[in-house]
Structure formats: C-alpha cells, structure tokens
Amino acid sequence: MKSNRPPTLVDVARVAGVSRATASRVINGVESVDEKMRSKVQAAVQSTGYIPNTVARSLVTRKAGAIALIISGSDGSAEQVLGDPFFGRVTSGVVRSLLPRKVHPTLVLADSDAARADAVSYVRQGKADGALLVSTHSDDTLPGLFVDAGIPAVLFARPGQDVPISYVDLAHELGASLAADRLVSRGCRRVVTIAGPSDVPAAQGRLNGFRQAMARHGQAYVPVAKGNFTRESGELAMTELLAAHPDLDGVFAANDLMAAGALQVLHDHHRAVPTDVAVVGFDDSEPAHFTRPQLTTVAQPVEEMAAEMARILLTHMEDPTLRPTSVIFDPHLVPRESA
C-alpha cells in the first residue's frame, strides 16, 4: 500500500543514490558539492516532491530566508502608506527581485521611535537576514540604528545624516531641471512650484534643482507653496498660489499626486491646461496616467531602484565586510498633454 506521508530527506537521498548528509548540503545551498551529485539531488527533489523544512534549514544555514522591508517615518496611517503609489512601486520592485531568489520580504511599518527599535530587534532575533529601509525624513534615526547594530541594510534615498550605509537614489536636481526646461520651452514666464516637505531630502533636491534651472533661464524668482506629497495638499497649494499669483502660466509639482490636485483646482477655476497654464509633475506614477489632461511628468524608475536596492542587500548579506556603496539613477521627461 502506498504511503500518504510526505517525502523526507531520507527519500531524496535514496532516490539520488547519495548520503543523507550530501542531500542536506545540496538542499541547504552549500556550494562545495560535486556538480553531478548536486544535479542528482535536485532531480530527486523534483521527482519525490520533497519540500524542505524551512525551520530546520534555518538552523543549519542560520538564515531566515527573508528580509524586512521597513517603511520608516511616514506621517500617514497604514492604509495611507499602503495606498501611496510610491510605496506600492517600491514594494513591487522588491518583491519581483527577491521572489525568484526564494527570499521573502516582510513589510514593517516603523512610524515611531518604539516601532523603529522593534524593527531592529525583529531582524536581530533572526526573523530576517537584512533590511531594506525606506525613510521619508532627513532626521530619521533608523539607518543609524541598523548600522550601529551591524545588520546588513540598504536605504532607498540618500541618508539625511552622516551614516555609512549603502543606498540607491535619483538625481532629483536633474529631474527638476528637466521640468523647468519643459515649461520654459512652452513659453511659460510666470512659473510657480508646489514643493514637498522641507525635511524630505528628495523634496529639497527637486526644489533646489528647479529654482537653479529657472534662474539659468533668467527667471530669478519662483513662488513656492509647500505640500506633503498628497493630492489634497496639492489642491491647497494650488489654491494658495492662484490667489497670490493669478497670472501664473506654469506649475511644477514635486510629485504626481500634488500635480493631480493642482489640475483639479485649475479646472475648478476655469484655467485651461495647457493653454492657460502648463503643469509638470514628478515620478510618472499611476495618477499621471489618469488625470485629465494626462500629466507631463519626470519619470523616476522606482521599481528598478528598488530591485537594485535588494540586489545590493543580498551582496552585503553574502559578504558583510563590503564597504557601503551607492547607485544614482537618472530621470527622464515623459511628455503628455498637460505641458
């Protein structure tokens, strides 16, 4: 009678014609195994349907087979964070990069000092082998906590403080200059901008880059209203700018959500886009495709950046002695109907 029990490591070793120890070494990823032996064991795993015991495997390899994706410093609720196009794109890029490598990401929200300490403890306890950090404020202590703890970690965006940690980032100033060039090329002469929070390095980079580019075009003064990267804040900022500068003819918003809010306000005030006012956003996230008119924007390759962040982390997990590294991505303009 055929047994209904699940196949074991002993069954794999028997089918492969190798010792149990050899089968275990292959399954646990030990590289110093003869290639013919490795092929036999892998074929036996397929033919028997053996599923490794991940708990036992972690005891052998001392690896959890997981990483923590930690979003730190967000001001919004979990629902707001998970619904934000940017964080969704980061998560998508990480998942697509790690799953083929059989590494599983665990999402952790760290919106307080206590939660950040818990996040470090979570990884130190062996529940993850390293951490991918998405930090939204320049004074965030989380990158330093991971460096001090000696835990492999990589940061999305340049650290706001002097911390020796690997990171990926975008050339934000360059992206903002592309937006300025686009508005000027359309003949805009009374340009305003909706900036992001002043404590977010990316927002400051975009604001500085836009101002510098406009100055090169001879426009020394650019009125600014601050938002917080939400559609609602874009609406408020656009309302403020229209009241103070009713003759404005060009708008650069530091992300697409705020640009979408600006478009709504311009529509409500019967200002035709792009005939009366040209609008450029930043990110090329999902909202850019669904505004009316469709939004001209500066593309940030978030998914590719997140995948590179994961790749760097895996490299540091293999060799913790590696020095911190950085990869800076270039943006590009995506012209559509709004400018």
Side-chain angles (χ1 to χ4, degrees):
M1 181 180 295
K2 185 177 179 179
S3 172
N4 290 324
R5 68 173 177 79
T8 66
L9 183 62
V10 173
D11 296 324
V12 173
R14 177 177 51 78
V15 171
V18 301
S19 69
R20 184 181 183 281
T22 297
S24 176
R25 291 169 65 203
V26 172
I27 290 169
N28 287 313
V30 177
E31 295 184 358
S32 59
V33 178
D34 181 80
E35 192 57 40
K36 290 183 179 179
M37 293 287 192
R38 185 185 304 279
S39 297
K40 288 181 179 180
V41 172
Q42 291 170 342
V45 168
Q46 292 292 325
S47 64
T48 61
Y50 173 70
I51 300 176
N53 183 324
T54 55
V55 174
R57 180 174 178 175
S58 67
L59 291 173
V60 174
T61 63
R62 298 192 181 276
K63 290 184 178 181
I67 61 94
L69 173 58
I70 304 173
I71 298 175
S72 173
S74 174
D75 296 324
S77 65
E79 291 78 12
Q80 289 176 311
V81 170
L82 296 176
D84 188 299
F86 169 76
F87 294 120
R89 292 176 67 191
V90 171
T91 302
S92 175
V94 168
V95 169
R96 285 191 294 177
S97 175
L98 291 178
L99 288 187
R101 297 173 168 85
K102 302 188 185 302
V103 178
H104 303 284
T106 300
L107 181 62
V108 179
L109 300 181
D111 57 358
S112 67
D113 289 341
R116 285 184 273 276
D118 288 343
V120 175
S121 297
Y122 178 86
V123 181
R124 293 184 78 170
Q125 291 168 7
K127 296 177 181 177
D129 301 315
L132 300 172
L133 311 180
V134 183
S135 177
T136 56
H137 296 289
S138 60
D139 60 353
D140 192 353
T141 60
L142 190 67
L145 292 175
F146 271 90
V147 169
D148 291 343
I151 299 172
V154 181
L155 183 63
F156 193 107
R158 188 171 314 178
Q161 301 180 29
D162 188 17
V163 178
I165 188 170
S166 292
Y167 65 88
V168 301
D169 203 358
L170 186 79
H172 296 282
E173 293 85 354
L174 172 60
S177 72
L178 296 176
D181 294 346
R182 179 69 175 187
L183 291 171
V184 171
S185 72
R186 290 193 59 89
C188 298
R189 293 295 178 266
R190 297 173 298 280
V191 176
V192 301
T193 184
I194 301 174
S198 57
D199 62 342
V200 175
Q204 280 302 296
R206 295 173 194 183
L207 177 58
N208 293 337
F210 187 73
R211 281 173 162 165
Q212 290 169 7
M214 292 303 298
R216 287 194 296 271
H217 287 296
Q219 299 194 36
Y221 173 64
V222 177
V224 179
K226 294 290 180 67
N228 63 3
F229 287 144
T230 64
R231 182 186 177 108
E232 294 74 17
S233 71
E235 292 178 0
L236 290 172
M238 189 72 258
T239 301
E240 174 187 332
L241 288 166
L242 266 178
H245 308 278
D247 62 342
L248 62 85
D249 62 1
V251 180
F252 168 55
N255 82 335
D256 293 339
L257 280 174
M258 294 193 299
L263 286 172
Q264 182 61 55
V265 171
L266 291 169
H267 177 269
D268 293 344
H269 284 75
H270 309 291
R271 305 293 293 273
V273 176
T275 308
D276 297 331
V277 182
V279 179
V280 178
F282 203 111
D283 284 339
D284 195 27
S285 57
E286 187 175 359
H289 301 265
F290 296 103
T291 59
R292 292 293 178 269
Q294 285 195 333
L295 185 65
T296 293
T297 187
V298 177
Q300 176 176 199
V302 175
E303 292 85 356
E304 291 84 352
M305 294 168 69
E308 180 65 13
M309 179 172 62
R311 186 198 68 77
I312 294 172
L313 177 62
L314 294 177
T315 301
H316 282 302
M317 285 162 48
E318 288 295 325
D319 185 357
T321 66
L322 291 175
R323 293 177 59 82
T325 188
S326 58
V327 178
I328 308 298
F329 287 75
D330 285 335
H332 65 275
L333 186 80
V334 181
R336 295 194 182 97
E337 300 167 355
S338 70

